[in-house]
Structure formats: structure tokens, C-alpha cells
Amino acid sequence: MIEPTLWDHLLAAVLLIAFPLHARWSWARFRRAVATGGPGARRREYVRGMARQWTVTGIVLLGWFMAGRSPASLGFQLPLDAGSLAGLAITGLGLAFLAGQWRAVRRLERAELVEYAGETLGVAELLPRTDEEARAFAALSLTAGICEEILYRGFLIAWVGVWTGPWTSALLAGLAFGVAHAYQGRSGVIKTGVIGILAGFLYVGTASLLWPMILHAAIDVHGGAVGRRILDAVAARHAERSHSDSEEGADPS
């Protein structure tokens, strides 16, 4: 258990209050930039998102280590015990599940992919459309996997844990993680909240941030790849319909 400082309380306030408010403003700005910014706008927004996350994470790490705390107290460790074996097994199963989902998605026909378009409605603007954007989105996903785990699992669970037990801390930190994604709508809050809670339990159970970091990054990369494939199918369907309508309009009969 840490002895919280004023700096810890201020950083916790940033995660619990400032982050959700800023996320709403940033999401609106992101959508405007993508809608009016032309080529490269989405990639630039990805880069800005990475810069923000690394900046806040750097501040948290600086304050943590200046307080004389060990890396292990923030989850930077890999104990050689049963917990790590369980973490390895759970992470392996999670990655295998994501790989199986990706193979299944790749086998779907265009019409079948279009049926899943509704699942992208909340974050459609965020998803990559081109190879360049896909690479930038993958970098953003890796950033989120590292930074958000440090912030919401390593730091926030430790801070909440001053007043509660570790499992309750993981639950509350996971709920806060969901609220931080309120810009994605109700379904986004529920999905990210559940992921946050499970990631927190994995962290508490293994005492290592490695496993939730890997799974978090993999989930985000997978989501971007699947979302792009669905949006490509939707765009192709619209193009076909537009072409068909133009041919019918040009038919003299």
C-alpha cells in the first residue's frame, strides 16, 4: 500500500474527472478534424492521442519514482510464481480467441460483413481506412495498451487501494476506465468498463502489468483491423449501389 501524496490526489483527479471531460471535447474535435481535415487528418489525430497518453503517463511515472516507490509497486515486475503462470495461460487463451475471431472475420463474405456495420457506429470515425492509417492506429493501440494500463491499473488501483482492498480497487478502477470512454456512448462505456474490470482482476491476481498490457494492446489492434474490414465492405456496397443507380438513370428505356 502506498502513502498517497498531494501529487497522487491531483493525478487521480485528472484520471477521474479531467480525462472523461477532455475525452468528450477531444472526440468532438477529432470528428471535426476528420470530416474537414482532408487526407492524413485521421493519422494526425492518432499521433496527437499518442502524445497525450505518453505525456500523462510520463508525469505519473515521474511523480511515482520521485516519491521513492519501487517499479514493482506499480506493476513493473514478473514474479516467478503460480500467478504468472496463470497470467501466461489467460493471456495465451485471450490471444488465441482474438486470432480465431480474426480468421472467422476474414472468411466472411461482403454481405455478411455489412451486417456487422452497426457494431462500429459509436467509433466509426476513429477506425482506420488506409494502410497508413492502419499502421498509425496500431501504434496508438500499443500506446493505449501500455499507457492506460499504467494509469488505470498500476496507478489508480494503488491509489484507490489506500481505502479499499485490491479486488474492490480493481473493480472501481475498471468502472472509472469505462466512464473515461463515455464519448463512445452507453455500449462503449459498458464494453470498456468490463474490459477494464477484467484487466484489473488480471493485474491484481498476477501482480504484473505485463499480461493486461499485452491483452489490451491486442484487443485494440484487433478492433481496428476488424472495424476496417467491416467499413471497407460497407464502402464497397455503397459504391456498387451508386454505380447501379447511375446505370439505371442513364438507361434510355
Side-chain angles (χ1 to χ4, degrees), residues 61-114:
L61 292 175
L62 179 63
W64 191 270
F65 295 128
M66 284 184 66
R69 298 165 185 159
S70 68
S73 65
L74 195 60
F76 293 126
Q77 62 175 345
L78 187 61
L80 299 178
D81 57 16
S84 290
L85 290 176
L88 176 62
I90 292 170
T91 302
L93 289 173
L95 294 177
F97 174 76
L98 292 175
Q101 274 200 327
W102 175 240
R103 286 194 295 270
V105 167
R106 293 189 64 181
R107 288 195 294 267
L108 293 177
E109 298 293 335
R110 181 182 299 166
E112 295 174 305
L113 286 168
V114 170

Side-chain angles (χ1 to χ4, degrees), residues 32 35 50 101 104 129 142 153 156 162 183 248-249 253:
R32 289 194 301 270
M50 286 186 278
Q101 274 200 327
R129 268 56 169 194
L142 294 175
R153 254 59 73 186
L156 196 57
V162 173
Y183 65 92
E248 289 179 1
S253 61

Side-chain angles (χ1 to χ4, degrees), residues 7-251:
W7 189 245
D8 293 319
H9 296 320
L10 290 174
L11 290 173
V14 169
L15 294 180
L16 295 173
I17 301 173
F19 258 33
L21 294 176
H22 179 269
R24 281 188 173 276
W25 172 85
S26 180
W27 178 241
R29 178 186 179 280
F30 181 94
R31 297 179 70 179
R32 289 194 301 270
V34 169
T36 62
R42 187 174 281 105
R43 185 185 61 81
R44 288 193 295 271
E45 291 300 312
Y46 294 160
V47 172
R48 290 191 182 100
M50 286 186 278
R52 286 194 297 269
Q53 289 204 30
W54 281 114
T55 298
V56 176
T57 301
I59 292 172
V60 167
L61 292 175
L62 179 63
W64 191 270
F65 295 128
M66 284 184 66
R69 298 165 185 159
S70 68
S73 65
L74 195 60
F76 293 126
Q77 62 175 345
L78 187 61
L80 299 178
D81 57 16
S84 290
L85 290 176
L88 176 62
I90 292 170
T91 302
L93 289 173
L95 294 177
F97 174 76
L98 292 175
Q101 274 200 327
W102 175 240
R103 286 194 295 270
V105 167
R106 293 189 64 181
R107 288 195 294 267
L108 293 177
E109 298 293 335
R110 181 182 299 166
E112 295 174 305
L113 286 168
V114 170
E115 294 178 2
Y116 291 95
E119 298 185 13
T120 69
L121 289 179
V123 293
E125 291 91 345
L126 181 62
L127 297 171
R129 268 56 169 194
T130 67
D131 290 342
E132 182 182 26
E133 290 177 357
R135 289 189 292 269
F137 186 87
L140 177 63
S141 299
L142 294 175
T143 292
I146 296 171
C147 294
E148 290 183 353
E149 292 308 310
I150 292 172
L151 297 175
Y152 284 93
R153 254 59 73 186
F155 171 77
L156 196 57
I157 287 178
W159 182 78
V160 177
V162 173
W163 300 279
T164 69
W167 297 101
T168 301
S169 300
L171 174 63
L172 295 175
L175 294 176
F177 184 66
V179 171
H181 292 78
Y183 65 92
Q184 296 183 9
R186 181 182 301 177
S187 63
V189 171
I190 294 173
K191 289 178 182 178
T192 56
V194 170
I195 290 173
I197 292 170
L198 294 177
F201 288 167
L202 181 59
Y203 168 51
V204 170
T206 64
S208 176
L209 282 178
L210 176 63
W211 312 117
M213 280 181 175
I214 292 173
L215 284 175
H216 187 154
I219 289 170
D220 285 2
V221 170
H222 174 266
V226 171
R228 182 189 177 189
R229 196 166 183 86
I230 292 172
L231 292 177
D232 283 349
V234 171
R237 170 64 65 86
H238 287 166
E240 286 180 353
R241 288 180 175 176
S242 297
H243 180 69
S244 176
D245 290 343
S246 64
E247 286 187 340
E248 289 179 1
D251 189 348

